[in-house]
Every structure is written in C-alpha cells, then in structure tokens.
Amino acid sequence: MRRLSIILAAAALALSLAAPAVLAAEPRFDHTGQVLIAFNGDVTVPAGESADAVLVTGGTATIAGQVESVVVFDGDVVLQGATVKTVFATGGTVAIDATSTVTGDVRTLDSTVTVDPSATVGGNVSSINADLVAATAVLAPAIMLFMLGLALVTIVAGLALAALGARQVRAAEALITREPGETILFGLAGLVVIPLIAVLAMVTIIGAPLGLAILLMVWPAAAFAGYLVAGIWIGEWLLHRGATERPARPYLAAVVGLVILQVISLIPLVGAVASLIGFGAVLLLAWRTFRGTSTTQPATSPPATQPMGA
C-alpha cells in the first residue's frame, strides 16, 4: 500500500512538472474581438499584434503576429513568424516559413501550398477538391430527384387546375391571346404593386397579418397559378391551334404545356417571360371579375311567339 502511494505521488509530481511544458507547446489564442477584412486589398498583421480573424478577397494576407483564423478567397497567404490556428485559401498560394506555427489545419482549394520543413503544423495540410468532387457525386442524384419531384408536383397542380377551374383557365388564355399587351402590363404591375400593398399593410399592427398573408400566401399563389396558366396555354396552342372544338377539360394540354415550359425555363428569361404573361392574365382576370366585367356576350332570348289571330 505504501509502495502504491509512492508511485501515485511520483506520477502526480511528474504531471505537475509536465503541465507547463504542454501548455507552452500549445499557444493560447486570446480573443481580442478584432476582425480584419479587405476586399480587393491586402491585410498585414505585424509581429506582436493579434486578431481573431483575417478575411481577404482578391489580395494578400501577411501574418507575422497571432491570428486565430485566416481566410483568403482568390488571394495569397504569407505566414512569417506567425502563430495561426487555421488557414483556408482558394485560388492563390500559401507560404509558411520556418518560424511559423499553425496549430490546426491548412485547407485549400485550387491553391499552391509551400511549407518550410522547419515550420510547425499541428493539423493536416490538404485540399478540399476531392471533398467537393465526392460531395457533388452524392448530392447530384439527390438534386436530380428533387427537381423531378418538383416537376411532377407542377404537373399534378396543372391537372387539378384544369379539372377544377377549366372555365377560368380558358378565360385567362383568351386574355393572353387577345390582349397580350395589357396582360403583360398587369403582370409587371403585379410584381410591384402587390408587395407594396403588403408592406404598407404591415406598417400597422392590425394590418400586419393581412400584409404577411398577401406577401407569403396570396402573391406566391397567384404567381404559381400564372405559371400553370402559361403552361396550359402553351399546350393548347400546340395541340388545338386552329381547332373549332376543344376538350371540356384541358388535361393533355396541361401535361404537354407544363413539361415544355419547364424545359424552356432552363433558358434564361424565356421561362420568366412566359410566367410573367400567365401571372398578368391571372391578375387581369381577377380584376375584371372583381369589377364585374365579363368578356362573354350575353345570350339573346328568342322572340316570343305571337298567338295566332283571334
């Protein structure tokens, strides 16, 4: 028992003597609250000075003092007698001299790293190019499946609109065909007026719920309905152009048109213009319905039959 106590006491003494050496080997980073940032410029931290972080884009970060994190985009990192915890750089060079210490990792992307053999690097010096390739290989199928799911949801929504609002869809299509200029003007106005009304409503406490409902529900719903109307209009123009009779419900036109619209939406501005036209048609139709304006001609009743002579 006495021998075990002597061994434990000796171990405790050895640990107490070794602790200062360990702490001296691991530099302490005192948080100063100072963050140095430069856009298209350089940052220099002289010897004896410190900072919590250095962020540089399009320039050079020269560190001779103590910095916890150095991040450089499209630029260079130069460590000269520096004490740094982590380094991240893209599109440039990283140079670490013999008197510098990096306690953590040096991560790069499309950068050249030069480390003096006498420098101290506690972590890994590695490139994230391989990590990005691996992440892309994993995420690409998931993104494709997600996009396919969005396409299916859009087609299902178009079919539902064709089933439940065929008459309104046909009325909006008539506006696109007969009044394209006014339809586009209403679409452009809707992009500005609706959010403006929502913001003005949210100025007051009592109008805030209404403003939020307009901004987060009514406006997006009208825009999505306009996208569906534009797709169905494209489908009917392709399938029934010049036809005197059309199906009561434009199911096939919804599928064909929305598929085509989603494909052409990959071209910049083309899909946006089609969506704007559909959005304007929905707003114009809603405005005329609100005002009680109808585009249909009233039906004329046949003349009453006259009784034959008395």
Side-chain angles (χ1 to χ4, degrees), residues 21 29 55 83 86 89 96 126 169 173-174 182 188 190 255 259 269 281 291:
F29 292 89
L55 173 61
T83 300
T86 59
I96 305 175
S126 59
V169 170
E173 291 177 2
E182 193 168 356
L188 293 173
V255 175
V259 169
L269 297 180
R291 295 181 57 190

Side-chain angles (χ1 to χ4, degrees), residues 57-71:
T57 62
T60 301
T62 304
I63 312 298
Q66 188 180 67
V67 177
E68 187 166 350
S69 299
V70 178
V71 179

Side-chain angles (χ1 to χ4, degrees), residues 238-276:
L238 291 174
L239 296 175
H240 308 295
R241 181 174 47 181
T244 56
E245 294 185 2
R246 295 183 180 183
R249 299 287 187 272
Y251 296 125
L252 182 59
V255 175
V256 173
L258 287 172
V259 169
I260 294 176
L261 181 56
Q262 291 181 80
V263 172
I264 65 176
S265 294
L266 299 176
I267 304 174
L269 297 180
V270 175
V273 171
S275 301
L276 177 66

Side-chain angles (χ1 to χ4, degrees), residues 40-57:
N40 296 321
D42 303 332
V43 169
T44 300
V45 180
E49 296 188 10
S50 61
D52 288 351
V54 171
L55 173 61
V56 175
T57 62

Side-chain angles (χ1 to χ4, degrees), residues 146-189:
F146 182 77
M147 296 300 293
L148 179 60
L150 285 179
L152 292 176
V153 168
T154 302
I155 293 174
V156 170
L159 291 173
L161 183 62
L164 302 176
R167 184 172 61 86
Q168 290 79 6
V169 170
R170 292 272 166 73
E173 291 177 2
L175 293 175
I176 295 175
T177 303
R178 300 171 185 171
E179 305 176 51
E182 193 168 356
T183 299
I184 294 175
L185 288 178
F186 260 76
L188 293 173

